[in-house]
Amino acid sequence: MVEHATETTTAPDEGSGEWIAPPDAKWAEFEVCGGQGGHGVDTSGSAGWGGGVKAVVPVRPGDRLTPVVARWNNGRAGGHGYTNGGNGGDNASGSTGHGGGGGGGSSAVLRNGEPVIVAGGGGGAGGGGLTAKGGGGGDGGDPPKAGTSGQTMPDGQGGVGGPGAPTRWKQQNGRSGEGASKLGAGGGGGGGAGYAPDGHGGGGGGDAGTYSSAGGGGGAGASWVVDGASKKITKAWHGESGSVKFIAWHK
């Protein structure tokens, strides 16, 4: 029988503490949220939200449950967490185009050092061209969303948004966005970080635009819950940095 018990605690920083399962605990309930992707100037697209997971996971007395919280980075560098977001693609040297935003990092709960809940990061915004609007980063959720394409101008082509996890690339970190090679073009947004047992948890990076066209947004990373968990919900989380909230022990 599952019974509600004890405290609610939020872990504000990576590795800030841990929870130890009491003698009568069989389950632990958490709400875990991944980090938002990065974005830059006004012509950049919107950054993708991280995934949010609420789950009750099995525990044994004495198990150590440790939070890892994604940190937000509003720029080209990918956000850090349990796994890391991909970097946004740069603009060409001397260009009036803009680089893409980095993908969001993932947040996690580790049971005795191994993950039991991971909330994926959102995709980074596509970089804007001279006047073209960058593509939006994909939101985390179930399934993780792809980034949208950058705006196309008459003399070029907007970059295609990166796919949400799983992608054909075997990596848990987000894939970096493509750098722009043409003046006036925007770089692609970085993919969000995630986790999947087969290794394909990271989101894909967006493609760069050409000439004055904008870059595509990065795809979101995958969220995951260990087998045997109950009451799991995966949705987009509207917050910049990630979070790990302990809700209750259950008997």
Side-chain angles (χ1 to χ4, degrees):
M1 179 178 179
V2 177
E3 298 178 357
H4 192 275
T6 64
E7 61 196 295
T8 298
T9 307
T10 299
D13 295 299
E14 179 177 339
S16 64
E18 63 182 18
W19 297 275
I20 299 176
D24 58 349
K26 294 183 179 179
W27 305 89
E29 184 174 359
F30 288 90
E31 185 173 60
V32 183
C33 303
Q36 185 186 19
H39 53 80
V41 300
D42 290 344
T43 56
S44 296
S46 58
W49 298 112
V53 181
K54 186 174 182 180
V56 180
V57 297
V59 295
R60 295 179 178 178
D63 279 351
R64 294 180 178 271
L65 301 170
T66 306
V68 182
V69 180
R71 312 313 298 170
W72 185 56
N73 180 40
N74 186 24
R76 280 192 54 237
H80 292 282
Y82 179 64
T83 54
N84 301 326
N87 293 331
D90 202 357
N91 59 342
S93 178
S95 173
T96 52
H98 302 282
S106 66
S107 297
V109 175
L110 311 182
R111 183 182 61 197
N112 302 324
E114 297 296 326
V116 289
I117 304 173
V118 181
L130 176 59
T131 59
K133 186 78 171 177
D139 290 339
D142 188 15
K145 301 296 190 294
T148 60
S149 295
Q151 185 180 2
T152 292
M153 301 302 284
D155 59 347
Q157 178 66 47
V160 176
T167 69
R168 67 177 184 273
W169 303 287
K170 189 173 183 179
Q171 59 183 65
Q172 309 284 29
N173 296 327
R175 191 172 178 83
S176 293
E178 181 183 28
S181 60
K182 303 294 184 182
L183 295 178
Y195 181 82
D198 65 1
H200 292 265
D207 291 342
T210 59
Y211 296 99
S212 58
S213 296
S223 298
W224 174 82
V225 179
V226 70
D227 288 344
S230 62
K231 194 181 166 186
K232 56 185 177 181
I233 305 168
T234 306
K235 57 179 176 58
W237 159 250
H238 289 200
E240 293 174 347
S241 293
S243 66
V244 175
K245 178 187 288 186
F246 170 70
I247 297 174
W249 301 112
H250 299 284
K251 300 178 181 179

